[in-house]
Amino acid sequence: MELAGWVRPAAVFCAGAVVGAGVVWVVAVPGPAAQESLRGVAEITPAAGAVRPTGAVDVSPWPSAKTSGPPDKAALVPNPGLRVTRPGEVIDGYEVHGDISVEADNVVIRNTRVVSDSHQGWGIIQREGAGGLVIENSEIVSTPTHKIDQGVLNFGGMLTVRKTEISGTADGVVTPHGLIEANFIHDPSAGKDDHVDLIQAGSGPAAGLKLVIRNNTLLNQQEQTSAVGLFQDFGAPHDVLIENNLLGGGGYTVYAGRGAQDKRATSDIRIIGNVWTRDLFPKGGRWGPVVGWEASGKGNEWRNNVWADSGKPVEP
């Protein structure tokens, strides 16, 4: 997938200083038109979920390994871990052995595969103070012997993850805000002390941002925690849209933000038009499809969520 205004230059990567285990690369910087394109993508306003016809749902249109990840893995160039410090850098066409640490604004990672040669905390991290990271058509792979705890970890600002495959990690994407769309996140691994969430938010988003999770396939084969987990570790969840995803697995497939011990009210959480599969567990998750839903929360909305095998409503 190409973003308007971006041209992949030939042979423009040149090695910079080695910092720790990472290499700083100097990459062609996108022009203003390309940066504007990124802003437009990040601000897409999702449409409301449509009412589905009755009967079993055809799940074939949802993302899979065929529709996510790098289009030509055989062509990827092996490379050590990267530390990205220059705004607007584009990382394109690499198999990165190690992590990618993003410490600058408006970085793009596309057509890239991140694998681990040892246990590491994350595949890609956006550090505090950075924002605008876009990850697309990429893959993050964790294995039992070389485990990645979190596929994508965001301590910064806006994050977009699209058409990316994440597998084998304990957590897929950990962020309080961003646009997470058209991804295939599946087959997580759980270590001794891991809580497994394919998409996890520990609070509400930063001021002026939202968390949008839509058009993903999220399958947690573990019988604990979630496919989507909204928690109150650092604040009450709010301004979240979970729309048109294919969901299944975990202890409960969705933790909707208000646990029995949580004192803070949730607000503006909209869960619309999603499809729950029973292929992993008869109840969707090990214990059920959803927990922590606060129907009385201001602006909260639960609508048109159904079971894949019957088209019947999923009740919170």
Side-chain angles (χ1 to χ4, degrees):
M1 175 179 178
E2 291 294 331
L3 296 177
W6 292 83
V7 178
R8 181 184 179 185
V12 298
F13 289 83
C14 55
V18 176
V19 181
V23 178
V24 181
W25 292 93
V26 180
V27 189
V29 178
Q35 294 178 6
E36 185 62 35
S37 171
L38 281 178
R39 285 193 289 271
V41 168
E43 295 169 1
I44 291 173
T45 302
V51 177
R52 299 184 184 280
T54 57
V57 178
D58 177 12
V59 300
S60 63
W62 268 275
S64 66
K66 293 181 179 179
T67 63
S68 58
D72 187 0
K73 295 179 185 179
L76 300 179
V77 178
N79 203 78
L82 300 175
R83 180 184 175 205
V84 185
T85 60
R86 182 174 172 179
E89 285 192 359
V90 179
I91 308 300
D92 189 344
Y94 284 84
E95 180 172 283
V96 176
H97 290 257
D99 72 310
I100 302 177
S101 178
V102 176
E103 304 170 21
D105 290 340
N106 300 322
V107 170
V108 177
I109 300 171
R110 69 159 74 100
N111 301 329
T112 290
R113 190 169 189 255
V114 176
V115 298
S116 177
D117 292 332
S118 62
H119 183 201
Q120 62 189 54
W122 48 77
I124 300 172
I125 183 171
Q126 180 170 242
R127 301 282 184 177
E128 185 176 0
L133 172 62
V134 175
I135 303 167
E136 60 185 4
N137 292 102
S138 292
E139 183 180 13
I140 300 171
V141 183
S142 174
T143 65
T145 54
H146 298 135
K147 187 164 176 274
I148 299 173
D149 293 330
Q150 291 148 340
V152 178
L153 178 59
N154 182 26
F155 287 130
M158 182 63 193
L159 168 72
T160 300
V161 184
R162 69 162 66 89
K163 299 188 76 173
T164 290
E165 182 176 1
I166 302 175
S167 63
T169 61
D171 296 317
V173 179
V174 180
T175 182
H177 41 244
L179 173 61
I180 316 300
E181 67 173 354
N183 302 289
F184 180 36
I185 308 178
H186 61 100
D187 291 284
S189 64
K192 179 181 177 182
D193 299 317
D194 288 334
H195 291 263
V196 174
D197 302 291
L198 302 186
I199 299 176
Q200 178 195 117
S203 70
L209 297 178
K210 298 181 179 181
L211 177 59
V212 176
I213 302 167
R214 67 180 178 207
N215 302 337
N216 302 282
T217 298
L218 305 172
L219 301 178
N220 179 358
Q221 286 77 5
Q222 302 289 332
E223 58 179 27
Q224 55 115 315
T225 324
S226 74
V228 177
L230 307 180
F231 302 111
Q232 297 205 15
D233 299 329
F234 308 106
H238 61 87
D239 291 289
V240 179
L241 174 65
I242 303 171
E243 180 181 43
N244 196 43
N245 301 281
L246 176 63
L247 305 163
Y252 289 92
T253 304
V254 172
Y255 277 72
R258 184 82 186 263
Q261 305 301 317
D262 292 328
K263 297 180 180 180
R264 292 166 290 203
T266 61
S267 61
D268 295 303
I269 295 177
R270 302 165 60 215
I271 303 179
I272 301 173
N274 300 282
V275 175
W276 263 256
T277 177
R278 301 185 208 258
D279 287 351
L280 303 179
F281 299 101
K283 297 180 181 180
R286 172 68 177 82
W287 305 109
V290 60
V291 70
W293 173 248
E294 187 177 17
S296 61
K298 181 181 178 181
N300 289 354
E301 182 178 9
W302 179 282
R303 176 162 53 90
N304 299 339
N305 300 296
V306 301
W307 293 105
D309 58 0
S310 66
K312 293 182 178 180
V314 175
E315 302 295 346

